[in-house]
Amino acid sequence: MENNFVEKLEAKQSLTGMLFRKTYLWMTFALVITALSAMVVAKSPALIQMVYGSSFGIWAIVIAELALVWFLSARIMKMSLASAGLMFIVYSVLNGAMLSAILFVYSPACIYKTFFITAGTFASVSLFGYLTKKDLSRMGSIMFMALIGLIIATVVNIFVHSSMLDIIISYVGVIVFVGLTAWDTQKLKSLYEEAEEANDSVLKMALLGALSLYLDFINLFLYLLRIFGRNE
């Protein structure tokens, strides 16, 4: 009886670990695609003109990205895993096109430094979310509400152009996405521990988890870049 319990526990832990490996692998793959897409766009005058030559290009990408995230979140369980993965790749490419602008604003040294700081911070916080026994649900709810306030403040600052508000937004953004990274990791751990086997539904859930962590990483990177690259 005890041996059966131990075997089931080990099998459950093995499945959880496998799902997390897939989640981080998909997230890393998406980040690589985003980086490559940004570099390709930045080196092509034609693509730069297409994306930033008019407000239409930017708005088309923004709307497409929002539509993809919404569609994936709402319909992923009714899609094939291959289709969901393809949509994630398309989103990563579009996001790379949007982020190509930072290659013209910040120096390579600043971008590399910020990326490694982001990677270290993300890994530490995600590990904390995985290992902690404390329920982070309340903190996650607070971070989500803070995110809404952050979006509103960002929109307001587009019109008021306050440098002080911009600094506050940058630091609050870092805090918010650090908190969301820990919360999302803990949520994923809870979901994975309930899984009985690595079927298509569970793998789709892992892909959706990769999208959540990918967005946490990207936003954390951008807010840190605003802080470290302030003088550029």
Side-chain angles (χ1 to χ4, degrees):
M1 186 76 132
E2 186 177 344
N3 287 339
N4 287 337
F5 175 77
V6 172
E7 287 176 2
K8 287 182 179 179
L9 181 61
E10 289 177 347
K12 187 73 80 173
Q13 290 174 338
S14 177
L15 178 60
T16 300
M18 183 273 288
L19 291 172
F20 261 111
R21 285 193 296 274
K22 283 190 174 294
T23 296
Y24 288 124
L25 182 62
W26 280 329
M27 185 199 83
T28 303
F29 182 58
L31 289 172
V32 170
I33 290 174
T34 296
L36 292 174
S37 300
M39 288 187 286
V40 168
V41 172
K43 291 180 179 179
S44 171
L47 290 175
I48 285 292
Q49 179 64 26
M50 185 184 300
V51 175
Y52 292 103
S54 68
S55 58
F56 174 78
I58 297 173
W59 278 110
I61 292 177
V62 169
I63 292 171
E65 286 187 313
L66 291 174
L68 280 170
V69 170
W70 175 84
F71 193 84
L72 264 177
S73 301
R75 306 283 296 177
I76 190 169
M77 290 305 170
K78 297 182 179 180
M79 304 166 58
S80 69
L81 183 60
S83 297
L86 180 60
M87 290 187 70
F88 191 12
I89 291 172
V90 171
Y91 179 84
S92 304
V93 171
L94 291 175
N95 209 28
M98 282 292 292
L99 294 179
S100 61
I102 68 174
L103 299 175
F104 299 104
V105 178
Y106 302 101
S107 68
C110 181
I111 293 173
Y112 294 146
K113 178 183 73 174
T114 305
F115 176 82
F116 286 116
I117 291 173
T118 303
T121 303
F122 179 90
S124 301
V125 174
S126 190
L127 182 63
F128 168 79
Y130 182 86
L131 295 176
T132 185
K133 301 300 182 183
K134 183 178 180 180
D135 185 4
L136 301 178
S137 299
R138 181 174 174 77
M139 183 197 75
S141 299
I142 293 172
M143 290 297 106
F144 184 76
M145 288 187 290
L147 176 60
I148 295 173
L150 192 66
I151 294 170
I152 294 171
T154 301
V155 172
V156 169
N157 204 37
I158 292 174
F159 300 98
V160 302
H161 301 292
S162 169
S163 58
M164 179 56 67
L165 181 57
D166 186 65
I167 293 171
I168 293 171
I169 288 172
S170 298
Y171 281 98
V172 172
V174 170
I175 294 169
V176 166
F177 283 100
V178 162
L180 288 175
T181 297
W183 182 40
D184 284 337
T185 302
Q186 188 177 76
K187 281 196 305 179
L188 290 174
K189 183 182 180 183
S190 297
L191 288 171
Y192 294 167
E193 286 177 342
E194 294 175 2
E196 297 296 330
E197 58 179 342
N199 54 34
D200 263 13
S201 295
V202 173
L203 292 176
K204 290 174 190 175
M205 189 167 58
L207 182 64
L208 201 57
L211 175 60
S212 296
L213 293 179
Y214 166 87
L215 291 172
D216 291 337
F217 187 101
I218 289 292
N219 282 285
L220 180 59
F221 169 75
L222 291 175
Y223 282 112
L224 285 171
L225 189 60
R226 288 170 65 171
I227 293 171
F228 294 124
R230 189 163 297 278
N231 295 325
E232 296 195 15

